[in-house]
Amino acid sequence: MATKITVRKEREFLLRRADILAQAERIFATKGYSATTMAEIADASGFAIGSLYHFFQGKEHLYETLITEKIDKFQDEIRRSSLAADTALERVSAIVKTHFAMLTTYENFFSILIKWEGIHQKDKRPNLLEKLLDNYRGYTDFVESVLREGQVQGEFPNVEPRVAAIALIGMIDAFAFSWLISANREPLQDRAEALLDLFFRGVNGYGKA
């Protein structure tokens, strides 16, 4: 059985680790992966640089941890919000709106992702790239299952679930990228409604003469 001291130390470790990841996220988003140093992250986190290595093996390990843990968290939240809805149409709406809500809240993180720096180099980071590909496939499978349920229930009678899932994810990514690079941003929620209108019109009209 864990003692109170053990529990407290574990809690303190997790809080410090979370703070390091938060500071690293901010710096990576501002400076990029290559230009960021462990010394900068240590300084921003209030640690001596040697202390950082008690939490992460190095910059690459820290970066990979940041990316994979955050994506897992986001996808879990999208699944939870979608599965809480009653109909497939409402679940699709929840997927889009939750994604955009998180984009607004965690802008720094999504800025890191769209730069794709340090991720695309498969020879240098095969584990990270493969993890992201696995996440994408799993996410696509989930969206497809929502659309397939809608097909069975008659909400989307003409839909091809896999094709529609890929299209929806592509639309979300395109809208998100456009918003992130825009100088004059409109409320992202307005774009969510526009995206959903386009998607549902397309899904409901697909296959009709």
Side-chain angles (χ1 to χ4, degrees), residues 115-154:
K115 292 174 183 176
W116 205 238
E117 182 190 15
I119 297 174
H120 70 284
Q121 298 165 310
K122 187 173 182 179
D123 58 325
K124 295 184 178 180
R125 295 177 186 85
N127 293 334
L128 177 56
L129 182 58
E130 189 56 40
K131 171 69 173 177
L132 292 177
L133 291 175
D134 283 344
N135 277 341
Y136 175 78
R137 287 187 284 263
Y139 183 44
T140 305
D141 289 345
F142 172 73
V143 177
E144 178 185 359
S145 71
V146 172
L147 293 167
R148 191 174 299 281
E149 178 188 356
Q151 182 186 52
V152 171
Q153 298 299 325

Side-chain angles (χ1 to χ4, degrees), residues 89-131:
L89 189 149
E90 291 172 346
R91 289 183 177 181
V92 171
S93 297
I95 288 170
V96 174
K97 292 178 180 179
T98 303
H99 189 110
F100 281 3
M102 290 188 300
L103 176 64
T104 303
T105 303
Y106 300 100
E107 181 181 339
N108 278 340
F109 178 74
F110 285 96
S111 294
I112 294 171
L113 284 187
I114 66 169
K115 292 174 183 176
W116 205 238
E117 182 190 15
I119 297 174
H120 70 284
Q121 298 165 310
K122 187 173 182 179
D123 58 325
K124 295 184 178 180
R125 295 177 186 85
N127 293 334
L128 177 56
L129 182 58
E130 189 56 40
K131 171 69 173 177

